[in-house]
Amino acid sequence: MEQIADEQINESDSMSMLQEINEKSIDPASQIILHKAEQEGIETAWDRYEKQIPQCSFGQLGICCRNCNMGQCRIDPFGEATEKGICGATADIIVARNLLRTIAAGAAAHSDHARGCSANL
């Protein structure tokens, strides 16, 4: 199956729309669904993502501090401005905290699967 199946494409569709769909996914089935969603005006995750651009550069660097209520700290990881948050955390500490909290949340969410496996054994 080539990019989007030819029978799924109307002649009135623009090449730019097809190119955008091809850039979103290489999977032919996904391309067909994206094309249908576009035709029917259904919002997809890609549409919602594009509405969020430009995204916060702090978030892209992983230095959004979500651990306390002392404020939204703006840490400059390049050393040109504030290097520590209100609590004293540096950019490295904030990234490590966020990573560990995410890992702990994922492990906690899936611990029930482990319990089920151990019960079967």
Side-chain angles (χ1 to χ4, degrees):
M1 187 184 262
E2 268 207 40
Q3 296 297 320
I4 295 181
D6 292 334
E7 62 272 3
Q8 296 290 325
I9 301 172
N10 295 329
E11 302 227 1
S12 62
D13 291 327
S14 70
M15 290 305 289
S16 64
M17 183 183 81
L18 295 177
Q19 185 176 0
E20 284 181 31
I21 290 173
N22 291 338
E23 289 173 1
K24 291 177 182 175
S25 178
I26 62 169
D27 178 51
S30 296
Q31 291 174 348
I32 291 169
I33 294 296
L34 287 168
H35 184 263
K36 185 162 179 62
E38 180 76 28
Q39 285 179 327
E40 296 184 13
I42 299 171
E43 185 179 56
T44 65
W46 286 279
D47 298 324
R48 291 187 295 274
Y49 171 76
E50 288 170 1
K51 289 179 183 176
Q52 298 290 322
I53 294 176
Q55 291 187 323
C56 170
S57 59
F58 292 100
Q60 288 177 333
L61 292 173
I63 54 175
C64 287
C65 187
R66 302 173 290 230
N67 299 320
C68 73
N69 292 321
M70 289 191 237
Q72 294 180 331
C73 297
R74 304 261 193 276
I75 307 299
D76 183 2
F78 306 110
E80 296 174 9
T82 307
E83 294 181 10
K84 292 183 180 178
I86 296 170
C87 69
T90 63
D92 292 335
I93 292 171
I94 291 171
V95 171
R97 282 180 183 167
N98 290 342
L99 176 64
L100 289 173
R101 288 175 69 111
T102 302
I103 291 169
H110 294 287
S111 65
D112 192 47
H113 298 296
R115 188 177 327 131
C117 290
S118 64
N120 287 333
L121 296 175

